[in-house]
Amino acid sequence: MSNEKKPIITKEQAEEIKKTYPTPFHIYDEKGIEDNAREMIEAFSWCKGFKEHFAVKATPNPAIMKILHKLGCGMDCSSLAELMMCEKCGILGDDIMFTANETPAEEYEYALKLGACITLDDLTHVDFLADVAKKGGYAMPEVVSMRYNNGVDFAINNCIMGSPQDAKYGMTRSQLTQAIKKLQGYGVKKFGLHAFLASNNLGNDYYPTLAGILFDTARELTEETGADWAFVNLSGGVGIPYRPDEDKPDIKIIASKVKSEYDRVFTGEMKPSIRTELGRYMLAPYGNLITTVLHFKHIYKEYVGVDACAANLMRPAMYGSYHHITALGKEQEPCVNKYDVVGGLCENNDKFAIDRMLPALEKGDVLAIHDTGAHGFAMGYNYNGRLRSAELLLQKDGSIKLIRRAETVDDYFATMIFE
Ligand SMILES: *Cc1c(COP(=O)(O)O)cnc(C)c1O
């Protein structure tokens, strides 16, 4: 087993933290985040100008963004609020990729204002962006990126997005040619080529395969249009092992296979840099959702009711995703009982685990739900009047820092009109 599921905190730490911050809460491991990010950046250091733009949507927290930015990461945004978060964190200009779809005019305008690097999702957005720029008094950017949807299934993944032909994202191959010509007409000097064809890919072949396609496409497009490439953006999609019997992708092998493709294609003067927009790979393993056992119930099955629910972590309810669970302090005990671990929403899919073998649990046991550092808190919502939890950071010195307070009922009532 290459992927030991070790909780971020011990039972003793959890009991101590609970005195100040009641469960449920999300906790992140600063050292884990930093070590992983450094390894990732190092793996691609062969590529001049390489930059990982962390997908803000995965974990939209200023403290997390700042940790990554300090290590040299940019950000990838897809909405106005995410752009504004970057601005508030002092992350500006080309450190921001703005890769949105169905994008409103005011979001493009804000991206122009911050000097973000914009990825266009569709051919029709070329004129749309030019129009926004003109009305707002902004020059067209020197560099514009385009999202490509090649319509071809990857045979190598367990993908969440489905077939690219059913995906709403990106332009076709012939539209890329048209987009470049139009953009050149608007005075754009350099281009970026972006594609995101499949999410949560285990194994080491997704990026290299995608890179091969994008590098070849970029070179062909240069032959067709004379386009000069600033970068190729491999976007997100490198997976993490949610199950203990899965292997973590090897980022060193991935990066060296991407280099082979790069060296195969870019033999001339043109040497675009590479960007990535990883979310899950950068953060998921370094977050746990900590929750306390409230109730037991035996009807047709054996249920463990906890104080977290799908409003704190939607992936199991939404995708049937596996998240490993550890009973803190019972790590060494045999998994002898079969439970459904459930939250309190009035929705029968509010189940963190179904038929999961765990040690014999008791009321008050604290559970760590693993790999919740990305697309965890971020997908939270207020259904059933559930309030979003706090987010905590286990700092490198072992201390705990509150990086987002829990919502209160006053937050929940703030938009309501009582009269
Ligand atoms: C969601 C998203 C990402 C991150 O995807 P992961 O699977 O978390 O790596 C990157 N880029 C774009 C445009 C996205 O929408």
Side-chain angles (χ1 to χ4, degrees):
M1 205 196 308
S2 58
N3 158 38
E4 190 198 347
K5 291 289 176 194
K6 193 169 174 294
I8 288 173
I9 48 174
T10 63
K11 180 181 167 62
E12 291 66 36
Q13 283 172 304
E15 295 299 346
E16 193 55 37
I17 295 167
K18 277 179 72 170
K19 291 178 191 163
T20 315
Y21 307 111
T23 55
F25 56 79
H26 284 268
I27 185 160
Y28 306 95
D29 171 14
E30 183 177 29
K31 182 171 189 308
I33 294 169
E34 287 196 358
D35 290 349
N36 181 66
R38 280 204 192 91
E39 183 192 40
M40 200 273 159
I41 292 166
E42 172 63 28
F44 280 93
S45 60
W46 58 266
C47 178
K48 191 162 176 276
F50 170 79
K51 192 168 274 188
E52 150 66 9
H53 289 255
F54 175 63
V56 171
K57 74 160 193 266
T59 322
N61 186 297
I64 302 288
M65 291 162 67
K66 284 179 185 170
I67 290 171
L68 292 171
H69 188 238
K70 234 180 173 170
L71 296 177
C73 294
M75 297 292 137
D76 168 47
C77 300
S78 58
S79 69
L80 186 62
E82 289 179 357
L83 286 170
M84 294 169 108
M85 275 178 68
C86 282
E87 186 181 24
K88 280 174 168 285
C89 291
I91 303 171
L92 301 164
D94 196 47
D95 269 356
I96 307 174
M97 285 297 310
F98 183 58
T99 305
N101 62 97
E102 315 318 326
T103 313
E106 66 265 27
E107 300 196 359
Y108 276 135
E109 185 167 355
Y110 215 87
L112 289 168
K113 183 184 127 186
L114 297 186
C117 183
I118 295 171
T119 304
L120 299 178
D121 187 63
D122 189 55
L123 176 59
T124 60
H125 288 226
V126 175
D127 288 335
F128 189 80
L129 176 66
D131 197 44
V132 171
K134 196 169 161 210
K135 283 189 183 138
Y138 296 95
M140 261 313 244
E142 296 239 317
V143 180
V144 172
S145 161
M146 296 160 298
R147 188 161 178 170
Y148 180 32
N149 179 339
N150 73 343
V152 180
D153 266 329
F154 273 80
I156 53 170
N157 62 48
N158 54 334
C159 90
I160 288 172
M161 225 134 51
S163 164
Q165 290 208 6
D166 293 327
K168 66 178 177 174
Y169 310 104
M171 308 183 203
T172 66
R173 176 64 182 75
S174 61
Q175 287 174 336
L176 287 177
T177 307
Q178 295 173 63
I180 290 173
K181 287 182 176 165
K182 265 178 174 277
L183 287 163
Q184 286 170 330
Y186 284 117
V188 172
K189 300 273 184 307
K190 288 193 172 198
F191 298 88
L193 188 62
H194 173 288
F196 187 5
L197 300 182
S199 197
N200 195 30
N201 290 277
L202 290 176
N204 298 326
D205 289 326
Y206 171 69
Y207 260 8
T209 309
L210 177 66
I213 294 168
L214 291 181
F215 296 162
D216 281 331
T217 305
R219 195 175 61 180
E220 279 169 36
L221 283 163
T222 298
E223 284 157 16
E224 280 175 35
T225 64
D228 191 4
W229 295 96
F231 61 84
V232 170
N233 188 335
L234 303 177
S235 187
V238 177
I240 63 118
Y242 285 97
R243 292 174 187 272
D245 60 355
E246 292 170 336
D247 289 321
K248 188 182 179 199
D250 188 326
I251 202 71
K252 291 198 188 90
I253 294 176
I254 292 173
S256 81
K257 287 183 169 191
V258 169
K259 182 174 190 305
S260 304
E261 292 298 315
Y262 192 96
D263 293 341
R264 173 180 67 75
V265 177
F266 298 118
T267 51
E269 279 193 6
M270 189 169 70
K271 303 276 183 212
S273 65
I274 293 177
R275 294 186 180 186
T276 56
E277 295 172 348
L278 293 173
R280 190 188 316 272
Y281 183 83
M282 301 306 284
L283 247 295
Y286 313 108
N288 286 172
L289 172 57
I290 306 296
T291 183
T292 304
V293 173
L294 296 180
H295 298 288
F296 289 88
K297 169 165 182 169
H298 181 75
I299 46 174
Y300 308 101
K301 297 186 80 175
E302 199 71 35
Y303 292 98
V304 179
V306 298
D307 60 5
C309 67
N312 306 111
L313 175 68
M314 182 149 68
R315 297 185 73 259
M318 189 160 156
Y319 306 119
S321 312
Y322 181 95
H323 280 265
H324 199 69
I325 296 177
T326 301
L328 297 182
K330 297 189 172 177
E331 286 87 345
Q332 306 310 322
E333 292 186 18
C335 293
V336 290
N337 287 11
K338 189 189 276 188
Y339 297 112
D340 283 11
V341 180
V342 303
L345 291 189
C346 305
E347 287 287 338
N348 199 36
N349 63 1
D350 186 10
K351 296 173 181 171
F352 292 116
I354 296 171
D355 294 334
R356 183 73 55 90
M357 296 306 295
L358 289 168
L361 297 176
E362 295 152 78
K363 272 189 198 179
D365 274 347
V366 182
L367 308 182
I369 304 179
H370 292 255
D371 302 313
T372 58
H375 313 295
F377 179 94
M379 293 170 93
Y381 52 108
N382 283 127
Y383 185 58
N384 259 184
R386 295 291 173 162
L387 305 176
R388 288 180 186 80
S389 78
E391 290 180 290
L392 307 176
L393 183 67
L394 173 63
Q395 300 186 104
K396 282 177 287 184
D397 66 3
S399 64
I400 300 292
K401 183 178 178 190
L402 181 69
I403 58 171
R404 185 195 302 263
R405 68 163 173 83
E407 279 181 343
T408 66
V409 283
D410 288 333
D411 295 318
Y412 183 58
F413 293 156
T415 53
M416 294 184 189
I417 298 162
F418 292 96
E419 58 187 40

